[in-house]
Each structure stands twice: as structure tokens, then as C-alpha cells.
Amino acid sequence: MQENPPINRGMISEDFRKKLHTIIYEADTRAGRLFDIILLCVIFLSIVAVMLESVASIKIVYGHQLAVIEWVITILFTLEYIGRVIAVREPLRYVFSFYGIVDLLATLPKYIGLMFPGTGFLIAIRAIRLLRVFRILKLHNFVGASNQLVEALKKSRTKIAVFLFSVVVLCVIMGTLMYMIEGPASGFTSIPVSVYWTIVTLTTVGFGDITPLTPLGQFLSTIIMIMGYGIIAIPTGLVTAQFMNEKAHLNTQACPNCGTHQHRDDAKFCYNCGASLK
């Protein structure tokens, strides 16, 4: 007499899993695009509901309706999260990926709110899920450009770090000089306060809460303000130069094994798990 096989994830047919993966993960298909557009609308509705609930006059009148809407959306997100786990062959890779963690955080707040009242507004975390719009609507230019920008920032990080360190040193020097020139009588009561004023002036914000009164202090502040324009341009130039050297990859396909995105256009295998993308 044969024993009945245990009920587990393996009982899900491969055809069903592939269809589910196509709908949930593939923005290149009609079904996938429709699913993701509906998902975006639901996320947006959830955020609006949370915002309206924070308005006391609206909550008094429509509090019950907003709560019902939130619970319906939370249940839908729970089912969607389960579907995403089922749709990939290696669910743990999705669960611990960036989008997997965001999707989980977007689902939990309402349940946590049952045990810890007052934490319901954590639902606003769902706004992060709107990042999927770059993949969902197949905005190739935006997807490719965003990948380019990320890579450019990564490769420029050392130069930018050195530049920022130099700016901090410059602010300390200039702030100390302003403290020596102006002194407490003009509002420069200490070197930290003077450094604060230098940073505000160098970044062209200029709150006006502290103002140099002496001719020499005003001359130095003029030099700092002019330097500010050049300092803003330098990191922009560093990133732009690196950005121009990066090649945009417009592939929006998700790996059917682990759900990873952002593959090269000519990729045949997933860079994360090695599974075939075909």
C-alpha cells in the first residue's frame, strides 16, 4: 500500500509555476504588464488611504471605510507575496533580495498593528514598491539610464569621497578664519558655529541667521560663495564623465529561478544564480 506523498511546494506543476512567473515577474508580456500596472494602482491607493487616515477630520467620518480598504489591500499583498515565492525555483533568493524584503515589509505593518497599535503608518513603506514602475511599464530608457547612473556612482565613489573630505577640511579652515575675523560680536560665537555658517554659505543656501559685518569678513564670504558654484560642479562632472562611459542595458527580464532583474541585453544566464534566462 503506497503512502500519500506529503503536500509540499513540489506538488505545484512546472507549467503552473511558469505561467505564474510570467504574470508576476515578466513585464515584457501583456499579462505581466497588466498585473504590474494593477499592482501599482493598488500600491498608490494604499498610500493615499494612509495619508487620508492621518487627517483627523477625514478619519472621523471615513475611518471605518479606510480601515476596510487597508485590510483588503493587505490581503491582496499577502497573496501576491506568496505567489512571488511560489513562482521562483529558489524562493529564498527572492525572500532575501532587495525587492523581496520590500515586498515583505509592505505586507507586515497591518498585521503588526494588531499587536502593537499605532504602527499602522509603517504602511507608507509601500511607497518604495513604486520603484517597480521602471520595470513594469517597460520604460527601457529609464531602466537603462538608472542602471548606468548606479554604476557611474559606484565607480566614482572614491573620487567623490576624496572630494568631500577636501571640502570638509576647507570648511574647517574657512570657518576658523571667519571666527578669528568676526568673533562673537557678529554671531560667530565658536568655531563649530563658524564652520556651520561656512557650509551653509558654500552650498549657496544662505539662511541669513549669521552675517559677517566687517569688510574683511564680507570679502571672505564672497570668495566662499563663488567657490560654492565650482564645488557643486565638480562631483557632477565626475559622475557625468563616468556616466558617459557606461553602456545602458535595457533588459527587463526576471530570472525564472531566483527572480533577479537587471541583466545585460545579451545575457543568456542569470548573473546571480546561473540559471538559463530562456
Side-chain angles (χ1 to χ4, degrees):
M1 180 176 179
Q2 293 183 343
E3 295 183 1
N4 293 328
I7 298 175
N8 55 35
R9 188 175 178 275
M11 295 185 65
I12 299 173
S13 69
E14 186 65 14
D15 288 341
F16 175 76
R17 190 196 62 75
K18 287 182 178 179
K19 290 179 180 179
L20 194 61
H21 184 275
T22 299
I23 295 173
I24 294 179
Y25 285 99
E26 298 299 334
D28 293 332
T29 64
R30 183 176 181 181
R33 190 178 300 111
L34 177 61
F35 172 83
D36 287 339
I37 290 175
I38 293 174
L39 176 62
L40 273 185
C41 294
V42 173
I43 294 171
F44 183 76
L45 175 62
S46 174
I47 296 171
V48 171
V50 172
M51 293 173 66
L52 292 177
E53 193 175 7
S54 67
V55 181
S57 58
I58 295 179
K59 185 176 181 179
I60 292 173
V61 180
Y62 301 103
H64 177 71
Q65 291 86 337
L66 291 173
V68 171
I69 291 174
E70 249 329 301
W71 270 113
V72 171
I73 292 174
T74 297
I75 292 172
L76 290 176
F77 280 164
T78 303
L79 295 175
E80 181 229 350
Y81 182 80
I82 294 172
R84 288 184 182 276
V85 173
I86 293 174
V88 291
R89 296 191 186 97
E90 297 185 20
L92 289 181
R93 288 184 180 271
Y94 161 72
V95 170
F96 293 105
S97 68
F98 170 75
Y99 279 117
I101 294 172
V102 170
D103 292 344
L104 180 62
L105 290 177
T107 306
L108 290 179
K110 199 66 178 176
Y111 298 118
I112 294 176
L114 292 176
M115 297 179 289
F116 304 98
T119 59
F121 292 105
L122 291 174
I123 292 172
I125 294 173
R126 290 174 182 172
I128 301 177
R129 300 194 73 189
L130 291 173
L131 292 172
R132 292 183 183 276
V133 70
F134 293 107
R135 181 182 65 87
I136 289 167
L137 301 180
K138 200 178 178 182
L139 300 175
H140 284 172
N141 292 334
F142 293 99
V143 173
S146 64
N147 293 341
Q148 273 185 288
L149 181 59
V150 171
E151 288 301 316
L153 287 171
K154 286 181 180 178
K155 293 181 179 179
S156 303
R157 64 182 181 273
T158 303
K159 295 177 182 178
I160 293 175
V162 171
F163 168 76
L164 291 176
F165 178 76
S166 302
V167 171
V168 171
V169 172
L170 179 64
C171 289
V172 172
I173 295 173
M174 291 294 187
T176 303
L177 288 175
M178 287 300 295
Y179 172 72
M180 295 171 60
I181 294 170
E182 293 292 331
S186 300
F188 295 83
T189 55
S190 65
I191 291 179
V193 171
S194 299
V195 171
Y196 153 78
W197 173 87
T198 303
I199 294 173
V200 169
T201 304
L202 194 66
T203 55
T204 70
V205 177
F207 292 131
D209 51 344
I210 305 174
T211 306
L213 301 178
T214 65
L216 184 57
Q218 292 172 350
F219 174 73
L220 184 58
S221 67
T222 301
I223 294 176
I224 293 174
M225 284 184 278
I226 293 174
M227 290 174 58
Y229 289 102
I231 286 176
I232 291 172
I234 291 175
T236 304
L238 291 174
V239 176
T240 301
Q242 189 64 53
F243 184 80
M244 297 301 293
N245 294 328
E246 295 293 329
K247 182 182 182 298
H249 293 284
L250 311 178
N251 195 318
T252 61
Q253 185 176 11
C255 173
N257 188 53
C258 65
T260 301
H261 302 282
Q262 299 181 352
H263 296 96
R264 292 175 58 91
D265 294 338
D266 56 352
K268 295 181 180 179
F269 300 94
C270 175
Y271 68 83
N272 186 43
C273 68
S276 175
L277 297 176
K278 304 301 180 182

